[in-house]
């Protein structure tokens, strides 16, 4: 049963993507570490760090697509789960600093020392152990999503209303984490990390390792998502997306399906955040900013929602564009980014992948129908 | 050379101080000094340090000369200059790069000279206080009731027992009951600070407690620890005043809440139309507000340049322009982008988010990232008191304006053919179209209306907010909360939602602090939506389910 | 089937394209590197911090232009590399890495607020480059690769409090700030300082508000209430940038005059005041190390050059701009002294370098990577400028580890050899924690 579920997800197309990601996970670190810098095949550390970050965003986008593309829940607060996962990892990394902080306090992180904390707040306990932090990375976002979803889906809050209250959720968390009284570093957040699992976070080897871990997590998540959407439950999810009331009347407990996929998605977002933090070296409340969550939605839209490969491509492409534009056109890059969003929604409503698929399908059809040139309706079906 | 001069001046000041003291004791009524004496004292104002200048001010005030008030007034306003070479103190009025000079003693105009030859005599807060107190004592007997009242208030702040004779003289002459009361309170404050008899002081406490405001609290608190009757009376009076203040505080919170609510209402009401009536999630709504604020800025800039006299009308001129500019941009957005996205509300979100980035950057490129200065017209500045609540004019007008906009919109939607057609399209697009309504036109006009209303909200917000490219971003989330809380598609819901959230915020703030208060409100909205998934005033009917 | 293939081709194609593009970026910059010395400018040009940072980018461009007119540096022209970190902290780290490792800049001038600096610190440490940070900050940091040209708390906050106490007779204090680390730390230091001076705890009120707080009605009325206890009250404001305009507007509207309750601010300068009508604010104070109104020939020259550069007669100068002016000139002098732009040599050469500041004296770089500056206190005038009412007689060196905080009172910083330590504990005799 379980094996069937898992294997079912790995059809040929998904297999290719997973294999590609695994290959990237092995190849890129090798090209970075083993191949000498003089070689044209060398991947510089800068590129590695950059693409490591993109892959984290890709994982976030994938988790968002699972709920939006397959279940019709548009979350404008997925950044909150990402950030919570990041904070859990950040707390572990802070505890790893130990007495190497600037004040040399063996237990308290630096920001607590200069804000006169006498002892570690209760919720910081346990984070000195990696396994505990690793569990918290999925449990905290998962729990929040479960509670939030439990109320929201049972009350049948849907559509725009749900989107707005997810936004309210992340906004409330943003304000809360900004408060220094939260004991999580306030605006400065958590930073100045030294080690992860005993390895120096700044060393090239650790960076490569983190990159590989991110690519593998993405591969694994892709596989899980693929399994979920191909399972029977996945079909129900799509039914919920397309006609929620009808699915309910047929007799499915719609809210259970939604709650399951929502919580799963939040956990994946948490993992993405946890992988992100050691690579960028800081976690701070601005990750909760509603604008970040909206940007993640845009990656999915650009790539193509309702396809699993789409959000990955979208996240990498948009972020690459951002990196490129902020350096090449620092004064006007927002015009380019804004125009991209407008153009994609207008001309690529299915996103890049959806459009490519449509074009391929119509090309096949035309070839089948040739030589009698059939005029195809270029408009995508709604 | 200049050192000896300073020394001499200091000596003169001290001497005059003593002489003046005698003079004040012997003949408290206004005395006239000779021009030469006065000139020496005035020149001493240009002393090295603030303390020396303060001595000079006091010495001048002690002369009781009726020309002194004008000199001190000029000093307080920064119109007193000292010649860089001549070391003469003069009153100057800036005219371009020149100064029109007046002799401080003879009041005769003495020509125009370049400002570079003069240094302004600096004053700081302490000197400004001294000046006000001095002017206060000097103008207690002024013919102008406004000046007299201001004088009495200024004297009250000094609580200086030496002002008692002057106050007594003024009280004897005063005919206006209101001013008389202020003078008596000022006298009471001075008595408390003197070594008067206990009974006098207790009476003074009663006089001051009669004010029942913060000022009286500020005076009375100092005597709680005083021995005997005075301390007891002061404590009792403080308790009384505190009770009064607590009562007024509740009223003040309501006012603050209403005023915050009306700001939210203004920001959200345009959204209630585009989002509520049309179902478009317009993330660029905040930018429409920002464009309205920038329109105000441009209007004021032009007025400052070409017609400074019209400044008080700048907002009235800006209102229709802001409506038109933001409305036109709204129509352009609808025609150019949104009309292709009807029926896909979540995608309007993405496209309008892109538009909002473009608009922000456009404004940033055109005007710069810095705040722009939008001035308050005179009728928007200052405040007045209702009991102990101080109501600022800008907030008051914004409340009035918000209510006006709300009812104007209601009338437009309920009482005009356009409103009827809009509501018809909202209720059932196909049917409305079948009835011959030009739905695309209605869509464009409705979106333009929503954007235009956001634009005029920007005019109002420019009075209390930063005018910067980020202005809109600060309001977009709050606006969505208001609309969703109130119920989409219902303007009354928006009104009630905005006021409820405003007042709730202001009642929570004193207890929880600004941040926690806001978090509580957000959590409350999230929970509330669970209870009523369609907001406070949900529209009934099937069309909304679409 | 074939659609799978299309996607796969597309994906690989896109990835390859991007890798190639990144390689091109690197190659392109490597070519140009031969002829010029590159200087990185890391200031947000969009997002919430753009409001303060865009002028700093412009001032750097102007300084570099001026230096090139003087013949450049070490016989080469300087070339500015501008990037936009968009007020996004992780992006700051990414852009810093890009500037150093991709563009090969010799030094970076930038960041605004501590969080952006904290986010780039590991990058500068790892890639061993030089950062000049031009904004006042809370202290509690001294890093080998960073030079702090803005004020530490002892160069702003403490002299301001001393002034209010001596000159205005203030006995009751409201410490109002935005809830982030600079106000928190500054207020901690001030609270300890005031208590040590004998101010009663009930005479200190501390209030924090979120970023961009716009509705100040309640807090201003609370301040009014706190100020009516019969003792002279003052507000020490560490309210950040954007929130100041509505705060001052509310103060003016509720009729709080500087003569009654003066407000002294550490984050309000000419630039912020340009957005408000200052008539109701005359007499409120600010403490900085520079004001545009400083009367000094070098300052006049700088202001004239700035106005010409911006092409606007109303352009104003402010303290962080002066910090960049000092920092840039120090860097130029250190590079000339070292004869190279190599980071290690420049870092060593920078300590002890003295250059003219804009307030008529010389600022020098201390061994703790902070600089000496005079402390000026100014009152707001109706034209948006400051009237200087007090100036410390000598220069004050930035004190990175505050003596008034429990954790840092025993720490010192000295980057000269042989100590070369940013957080040396004088009690234990050890260089604590980092490095």
């Amino acid at each position: 049963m379980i094996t069937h579920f898992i294997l079912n997800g790995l059809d040929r197309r998904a297999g290719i993507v997973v294999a590609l990601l695994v290959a990237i996970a092995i190849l890129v670190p090798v090209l970075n570490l083993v191949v000498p810098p003089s070689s044209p095949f060398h991947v510089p550390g800068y590129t590695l760090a950059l693409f490591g970050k993109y892959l984290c965003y890709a994982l976030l986008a994938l988790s968002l697509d699972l709920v939006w593309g397959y279940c019709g829940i548009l979350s404008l607060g997925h950044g909150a789960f990402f950030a919570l996962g990041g904070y859990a990892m950040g707390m572990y990394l802070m505890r790893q600093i130990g007495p190497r902080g600037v004040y040399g306090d063996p237990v308290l992180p630096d920001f607590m020392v200069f804000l006169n904390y006498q002892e570690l707040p209760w919720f910081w306990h346990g984070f000195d152990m990696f396994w505990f932090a690793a569990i918290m990375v999925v449990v905290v976002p998962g729990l929040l999503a479960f509670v939030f979803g439990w109320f929201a889906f049972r009350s049948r809050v849907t559509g725009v209303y749900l989107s707005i209250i997810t936004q309210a959720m992340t906004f409330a968390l943003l304000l809360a984490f900004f408060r220094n009284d939260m004991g999580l570093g306030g605006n400065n957040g958590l930073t100045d990390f030294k080690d992860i699992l005993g390895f120096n976070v700044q060393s090239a080897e650790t960076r490569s390792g983190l990159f590989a871990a991110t690519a593998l997590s993405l591969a694994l998540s892709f596989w899980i998502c693929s399994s979920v959407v191909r399972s029977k439950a996945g079909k129900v999810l799509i039914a919920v997306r397309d006609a929620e009331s009808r699915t309910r009347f047929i007799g499915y407990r719609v809210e259970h399906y939604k709650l399951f996929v929502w919580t799963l998605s939040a956990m994946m977002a948490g993992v993405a955040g946890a992988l992100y933090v050691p690579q960028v070296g800081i976690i701070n409340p601005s990750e909760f900013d509603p604008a970040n969550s909206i940007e993640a939605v845009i990656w999915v839209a650009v790539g193509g929602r309702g396809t699993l490969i789409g959000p990955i491509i979208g996240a990498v492409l948009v972020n690459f564009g951002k990196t490129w534009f902020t350096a090449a056109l620092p004064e006007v890059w927002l015009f380019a980014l804004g125009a991209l969003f407008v153009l994609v929604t207008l001309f690529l409503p299915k996103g890049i992948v959806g459009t490519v698929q449509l074009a391929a399908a119509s090309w096949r059809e035309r070839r089948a129908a040739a030589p009698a040139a059939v005029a195809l309706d270029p408009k995508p079906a709604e | 050379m200049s050192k000896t001069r300073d020394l001499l001046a200091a000596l003169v000041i001290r001497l005059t101080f003593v002489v003046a003291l005698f003079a004040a004791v012997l003949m408290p009524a206004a005395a006239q000094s000779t021009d030469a004496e006065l000139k020496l004292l005035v020149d001493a104002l240009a002393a090295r340090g603030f303390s020396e200048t303060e001595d000079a001010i006091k010495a001048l005030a002690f002369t009781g000369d009726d020309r002194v008030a004008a000199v001190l007034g000029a000093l307080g306003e920064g119109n007193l200059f000292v010649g860089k070479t001549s070391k003469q103190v003069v009153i100057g009025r800036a005219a371009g790069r020149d100064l029109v000079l007046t002799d401080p003693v003879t009041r005769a105009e003495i020509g125009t000279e370049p400002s570079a030859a003069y240094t302004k005599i600096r004053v700081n807060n302490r000197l400004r206080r001294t000046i006000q107190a001095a002017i206060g004592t000097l103008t207690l007997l002024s013919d102008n009731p406004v000046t007299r009242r201001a004088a009495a208030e200024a004297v009250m702040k000094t609580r200086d027992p030496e002002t008692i004779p002057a106050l007594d003289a003024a009280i004897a002459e005063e005919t206006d009951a209101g001013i008389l009361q202020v003078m008596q309170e000022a006298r009471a404050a001075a008595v408390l600070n003197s070594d008067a008899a206990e009974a006098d002081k207790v009476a003074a406490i009663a006089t001051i407690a009669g004010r029942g405001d913060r000022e009286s609290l500020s005076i009375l608190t100092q005597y709680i620890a005083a021995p005997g009757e005075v301390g007891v009376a002061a404590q009792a009076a403080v308790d009384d005043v505190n009770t009064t203040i607590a009562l007024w505080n509740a009223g003040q919170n309501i006012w603050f809440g209403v005023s915050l609510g009306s700001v939210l209402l203004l920001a959200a009401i345009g959204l209630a139309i585009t989002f509520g009536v049309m179902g478009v999630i317009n993330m660029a709504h905040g930018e429409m507000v920002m464009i309205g604020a920038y329109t105000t800025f441009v209007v004021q800039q032009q007025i400052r340049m070409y017609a400074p006299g019209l400044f008080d009308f700048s907002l009235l001129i800006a209102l229709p322009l802001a409506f038109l500019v933001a409305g036109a941009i709204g129509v352009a957005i609808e025609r150019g982008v949104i009309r292709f996205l009807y029926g896909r509300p979540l995608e309007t979100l993405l496209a309008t988010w892109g538009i909002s980035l473009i608009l922000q950057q456009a404004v940033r490129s055109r005007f710069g990232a810095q705040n722009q200065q939008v001035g308050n017209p005179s009728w928007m500045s200052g405040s007045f008191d209702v009991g102990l609540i101080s109501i600022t004019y800008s907030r008051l007008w914004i409340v009035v304006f918000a209510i006006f906009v709300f009812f104007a919109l209601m009338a437009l939607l309920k009482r005009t053919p356009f409103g009827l057609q809009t509501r018809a399209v909202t209720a059932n697009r196909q049917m409305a179209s079948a009835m011959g309504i030009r739905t695309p036109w209605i869509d464009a006009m409705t979106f333009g209306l929503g954007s235009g209303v956001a634009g005029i909200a920007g005019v109002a917000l420019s009075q209390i907010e930063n005018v910067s490219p980020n202005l809109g971003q600060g309001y977009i989330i709050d606006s969505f909360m208001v609309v969703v809380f109130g119920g989409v598609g219902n303007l009354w819901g928006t009104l009630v939602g905005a006021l409820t959230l405003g007042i709730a915020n202001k009642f929570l703030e004193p207890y929880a602090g600004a941040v926690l208060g806001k978090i509580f409100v957000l959590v409350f909205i999230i929970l509330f939506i669970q209870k009523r998934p369609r907001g406070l005033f949900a529209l009934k009917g099937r069309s909304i389910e679409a | 089937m074939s659609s799978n293939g299309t996607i796969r081709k597309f994906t690989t194609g896109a990835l390859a394209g991007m890798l190639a593009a990144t390689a091109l970026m690197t190659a392109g910059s490597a070519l140009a590197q031969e002829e010029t010395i590159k200087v990185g400018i890391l200031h947000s040009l969009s997002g919430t911090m753009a409001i303060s940072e865009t002028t700093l980018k412009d001032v750097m461009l102007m300084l570099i232009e001026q230096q090139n007119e003087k013949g450049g540096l070490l016989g080469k022209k300087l070339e500015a590399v501008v990037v936009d970190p968009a007020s996004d902290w992780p992006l700051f780290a990414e852009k810093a890495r890009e500037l150093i490792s991709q563009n090969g800049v010799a030094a970076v001038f930038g960041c605004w607020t501590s969080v952006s600096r904290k986010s780039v610190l590991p990058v500068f440490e790892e890639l061993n480059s030089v950062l000049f940070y031009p904004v006042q900050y809370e202290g509690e940091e001294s890093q080998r690769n960073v030079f702090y040209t803005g004020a530490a708390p002892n160069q702003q906050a403490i002299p301001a409090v001393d002034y209010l106490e001596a000159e205005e007779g203030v006995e009751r204090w409201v410490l109002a700030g935005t809830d982030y680390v600079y106000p928190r730390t500054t207020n901690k230091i001030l609270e300890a300082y005031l208590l040590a001076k004998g101010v009663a705890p009930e005479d200190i009120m501390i209030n924090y508000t979120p970023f961009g707080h716009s509705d100040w009605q309640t807090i201003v009325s609370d301040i009014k209430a706190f100020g009516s206890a019969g003792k002279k009250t003052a507000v020490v404001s560490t309210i950040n940038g954007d929130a100041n305009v509505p705060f001052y507007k509310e103060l003016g509207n509720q009729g709080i005059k500087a003569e009654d309750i003066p407000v002294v601010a550490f984050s309000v300068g000419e630039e912020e005041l340009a957005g408000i009508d200052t008539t109701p604010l005359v007499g409120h104070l600010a403490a900085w190390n520079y004001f545009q109104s400083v009367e000094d020939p070098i300052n006049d020259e700088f202001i004239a050059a700035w106005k010409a550069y911006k092409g606007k007669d109303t352009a104003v100068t402010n303290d962080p701009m002066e910090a960049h002016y000092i920092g840039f000139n120090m860097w130029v002098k250190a590079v000339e002294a070292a004869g190279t732009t190599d980071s290690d040599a420049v870092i060593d050469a920078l300590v002890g370098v003295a250059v003219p500041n804009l307030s008529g004296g010389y600022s020098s770089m201390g061994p703790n990577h902070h600089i000496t500056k005079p402390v000026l206190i100014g009152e707001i005038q109706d034209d948006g400028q400051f009237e200087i009412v007090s100036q410390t007689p000598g220069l004050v060196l930035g004190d990175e580890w505050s003596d008034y905080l429990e954790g840092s009172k025993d720490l010192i910083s000295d980057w000269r050899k042989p100590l070369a330590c940013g957080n040396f504990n004088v009690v234990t005799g050890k260089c604590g924690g980092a490095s």
Side-chain angles (χ1 to χ4, degrees), chain C residues 419-434:
Chain C
L419 190 58
C421 175
N423 48 358
F424 184 79
N425 191 317
V426 289
V427 174
T428 61
K430 276 193 206 137
C431 185

Side-chain angles (χ1 to χ4, degrees), chain C residues 91-412:
Chain C
L91 198 58
F92 264 94
E94 182 192 314
K95 290 286 145 197
R97 192 176 284 278
E98 183 181 322
L99 283 174
I100 303 166
S101 68
Q102 297 302 106
N103 295 310
V105 298
V108 177
F109 291 79
C111 291
W112 183 281
T113 74
S114 289
V115 56
S116 66
R117 191 188 65 250
K118 295 260 183 215
S119 129
V120 301
L121 271 189
V123 178
F124 279 88
E125 210 169 35
E126 181 189 335
L127 302 174
N128 192 23
S129 188
V130 184
L131 171 71
F132 285 85
Y133 177 73
V135 194
Q136 93 275 31
Y137 84 120
E138 65 279 0
E140 302 300 299
E141 186 183 295
S142 176
Q143 215 269 358
R144 180 170 172 269
N145 303 85
V146 184
F147 292 86
Y148 307 82
T149 50
N154 71 318
Q155 288 174 308
Q156 235 184 336
I158 288 177
V161 166
D162 286 341
Y163 170 84
L164 283 177
E165 197 171 35
E167 192 62 31
E168 304 250 358
V170 174
E171 299 168 299
R172 219 165 139 82
W173 304 85
V174 180
L175 309 181
T178 302
D179 190 3
Y180 74 110
V181 70
Y182 169 67
R184 286 263 172 188
T185 317
T186 306
N187 287 346
K188 275 253 152 35
I189 293 172
L190 285 181
E191 193 185 0
Y193 181 71
L194 290 171
L195 291 175
K197 282 190 124 185
V199 175
E202 67 267 19
D203 283 336
I204 301 176
M205 167 176 146
I206 299 182
N207 180 288
Y208 292 107
T209 40
F211 274 97
H213 191 65
S214 62
D215 193 278
W216 289 94
Q217 300 181 89
T218 309
I219 290 161
V220 168
S221 94
D222 281 354
I223 291 173
K224 231 170 154 178
F226 188 79
S228 55
K231 289 180 180 168
K232 179 73 188 167
T233 306
V235 180
V236 178
S237 152
T238 39
I239 295 164
N240 182 264
D242 256 12
N244 274 302
V245 175
F247 174 62
Y248 279 111
K249 281 192 175 173
E250 192 66 41
L251 276 181
N253 282 335
Q254 288 204 22
I256 295 191
K257 292 210 185 66
E259 296 96 76
D260 309 327
I261 302 179
V263 178
V264 60
F266 306 142
S267 313
V268 176
E270 290 84 351
E271 189 84 37
E272 285 75 14
L273 289 183
I276 9 178
D277 173 17
T278 53
T279 323
L281 305 181
V282 171
H284 287 304
L285 304 128
W288 288 106
N289 307 112
Y290 166 80
F291 288 111
Q292 186 178 349
S293 57
V294 166
E295 286 176 11
D296 180 71
I298 301 183
N299 185 35
D300 294 345
E301 208 177 288
F302 180 75
I303 294 169
W306 174 243
K307 286 183 172 169
Y309 183 82
K310 292 290 276 184
K312 229 166 84 179
D313 203 37
T314 52
V316 292
T317 58
N318 65 11
D319 182 275
M321 288 167 64
E322 192 223 14
H324 261 341
Y325 174 86
I326 297 173
F328 179 76
N329 287 331
M330 283 183 162
W331 177 74
V332 166
K333 217 167 162 184
V335 169
E336 278 167 353
T340 166
T341 57
D342 174 67
S343 297
D344 288 330
V346 173
I347 289 171
D348 286 341
L350 265 165
V351 173
V353 160
V355 297
N357 55 31
L358 295 178
S359 44
Y362 275 81
S363 281
S364 58
M365 177 63 71
N368 57 357
H369 287 189
H370 289 63
I371 65 173
T372 57
K373 296 182 175 198
V375 184
L376 312 177
I377 291 163
E379 282 187 2
I380 298 174
Q381 300 297 300
D382 51 7
D383 57 356
Q385 289 291 325
F386 289 88
E387 179 87 53
I388 297 160
V389 292
S390 158
Q391 175 163 8
T392 48
L395 296 175
V396 182
L397 173 66
D399 181 17
E400 69 296 354
W401 302 109
S402 174
D403 302 338
Y404 297 95
L405 290 181
E406 200 49 47
S408 66
K409 64 180 195 300
D410 297 330
L411 297 180
I412 59 159

Side-chain angles (χ1 to χ4, degrees), chain A residues 271-293:
Chain A
V271 172
L275 289 162
Y276 176 77
V277 167
Q279 297 190 62
V280 300
I282 186 168
I283 174 77
N284 121 311
S286 61
E287 298 297 334
F288 287 103
D289 193 332
N292 284 19
S293 298

Side-chain angles (χ1 to χ4, degrees), chain B residues 122 125 218 222 370 466 506, chain C residues 215 230 242 271 283 387-388:
Chain B
R122 291 174 175 183
N125 285 323
S218 152
Q222 295 178 33
Q370 288 76 36
N466 289 305
K506 283 294 149 187
Chain C
D215 193 278
D242 256 12
E271 189 84 37
E387 179 87 53
I388 297 160

Side-chain angles (χ1 to χ4, degrees), chain B residues 31-323:
Chain B
Q32 293 296 332
S33 327
T34 67
D35 284 3
E37 278 170 19
L38 207 57
K39 176 120 191 70
L40 207 57
L41 284 172
V42 169
D43 282 347
L45 285 173
R48 283 273 149 126
F50 291 127
S51 302
E52 286 77 11
T53 311
E54 192 173 12
D55 284 347
I57 294 168
K58 285 185 177 152
L60 261 179
F62 268 115
T63 62
D65 195 295
D66 53 12
R67 289 168 292 186
V68 167
V71 179
L72 291 183
L75 177 62
E77 283 157 24
N79 291 334
L80 214 55
F81 294 82
V82 59
K84 277 184 182 155
T85 46
S86 68
K87 302 287 170 201
Q88 303 281 316
V89 171
V90 292
I91 297 176
R93 189 161 44 80
R97 303 183 77 90
D98 294 331
L99 282 174
V100 180
L101 305 178
T102 317
D103 187 291
V105 177
T106 62
R107 319 300 303 275
E109 221 170 85
I110 48 176
T112 307
E113 287 199 47
S115 344
Y118 285 85
T119 322
K120 188 156 93 178
I121 299 178
R122 291 174 175 183
V123 286
N124 65 359
N125 285 323
R126 193 180 69 185
L127 289 190
R128 245 177 245 118
R129 275 194 299 277
T130 314
I131 291 168
Q132 276 170 8
I135 294 178
T137 330
L138 290 167
T139 53
L140 272 174
L141 293 168
S142 156
D143 293 333
N144 185 342
V146 179
T147 315
R148 287 207 304 278
R149 180 183 277 273
E153 296 275 3
V155 172
M156 172 137 165
K157 278 184 190 156
T158 66
R159 299 176 212 158
D160 183 356
E162 286 176 17
T163 58
I164 295 176
L167 278 168
D168 281 336
I171 287 170
E173 302 257 318
E174 188 55 60
T175 49
D176 183 312
I179 301 176
L180 188 64
Q181 196 184 342
V182 180
M183 285 177 174
Q184 274 162 348
E185 283 157 6
R187 186 178 184 281
V191 165
L192 270 178
N193 212 11
S194 70
D195 44 13
E198 200 165 68
D200 288 345
K201 286 194 174 180
V202 173
I205 286 175
T207 310
I208 291 170
R211 280 178 76 106
D213 63 356
R214 295 242 155 79
E215 180 79 46
S216 62
L217 198 62
S218 152
I219 297 171
L220 293 171
T221 322
Q222 295 178 33
Y223 301 99
I224 293 176
E229 282 291 302
V230 177
V232 177
Q235 183 64 57
V238 165
D239 292 344
D240 269 2
V241 175
N242 270 331
T243 323
T244 324
I245 288 180
L247 275 177
W248 282 103
N249 261 350
Q252 177 161 327
N253 276 341
I254 292 178
W255 164 249
F256 285 169
V258 167
S259 123
L260 176 63
S262 64
V263 168
L264 290 175
L265 176 66
L266 272 177
I269 199 160
L271 197 69
I273 295 172
T274 49
F275 177 48
V277 177
M278 301 176 70
V280 174
I281 307 182
N282 183 13
M283 295 305 279
H285 175 77
E287 277 58 47
M288 297 298 155
V289 176
M290 174 198 55
I291 283 167
Y294 270 91
T295 310
T296 320
F297 165 69
V298 172
V299 166
Q300 287 201 349
Q301 207 181 25
Q302 298 303 317
I303 286 182
R304 279 206 187 97
M305 219 180 290
Y306 299 110
L310 287 177
F311 190 76
D312 273 354
F313 300 97
S314 59
L315 295 190
L316 297 181
I317 300 168
L319 276 179
L321 284 175
F323 184 84

